[in-house]
Amino acid sequence: MSDLPELRQIVLLTDDLDAALAQARAEFHVPEGTRDVAGMAAIGFVHEVFGFDRTYVEICQPVDPDSPLGRKVAANGGSGFMVVVQVDDSAAMLARAAELGLQPLFVKDFHGSPISQWHPRDFGTIAEFDEMRPAD
């Protein structure tokens, strides 16, 4: 691993998952992805995640068009939603952020790896920083 952060994943919002995936496949030849139907339904989305080497793209559609994100997509169209960055030392990153007056929304353990999520006011979008290591 490098000492530099690495873009791990971007998350996009859409109001029509099937159409967005068809467009991504036609224009960018994205591979078939994976879905966590139950896990994402529990938080109000349908989605698909596909990868390019060690970076992933996730396209999400809010299930309820009257939810806050459903209304956002209806009003503004599809958009970026979140960026996920892998860091080598989450504790050092959190300490540096605190020095700058930034505070995460939460920090937790996710399958043995620390992750933190940050408010859009701090990074322009929802941001997640983690130490998750991708499989080789």
Side-chain angles (χ1 to χ4, degrees), residues 20-131:
L21 289 169
Q23 182 178 7
R25 288 188 176 104
E27 293 184 22
F28 301 109
H29 308 288
V30 299
E32 191 71 24
T34 61
R35 297 183 187 211
D36 176 3
V37 176
M40 292 301 283
I43 59 172
F45 292 99
V46 292
H47 80 134
E48 187 163 311
V49 179
F50 45 90
F52 300 94
D53 191 27
R54 294 168 39 101
T55 302
Y56 301 89
V57 175
E58 179 176 15
I59 302 176
C60 294
Q61 175 187 336
V63 173
D64 180 358
D66 292 325
S67 69
L69 289 174
R71 290 191 307 270
K72 176 184 178 192
V73 172
N76 302 318
S79 65
F81 178 61
M82 182 167 72
V83 63
V84 180
V85 177
Q86 181 175 325
V87 296
D88 285 337
D89 186 342
S90 187
M93 185 276 307
L94 291 166
R96 177 68 178 131
E99 290 172 8
L100 297 171
L102 300 174
Q103 185 173 18
L105 295 169
F106 68 81
V107 177
K108 70 179 186 177
D109 179 88
F110 184 75
H111 299 287
S113 298
I115 67 168
S116 60
Q117 283 194 356
W118 302 75
H119 196 280
R121 73 175 167 263
D122 296 327
F123 294 98
T125 188
I126 295 175
E128 178 176 295
F129 294 88
D130 67 46
E131 283 187 45

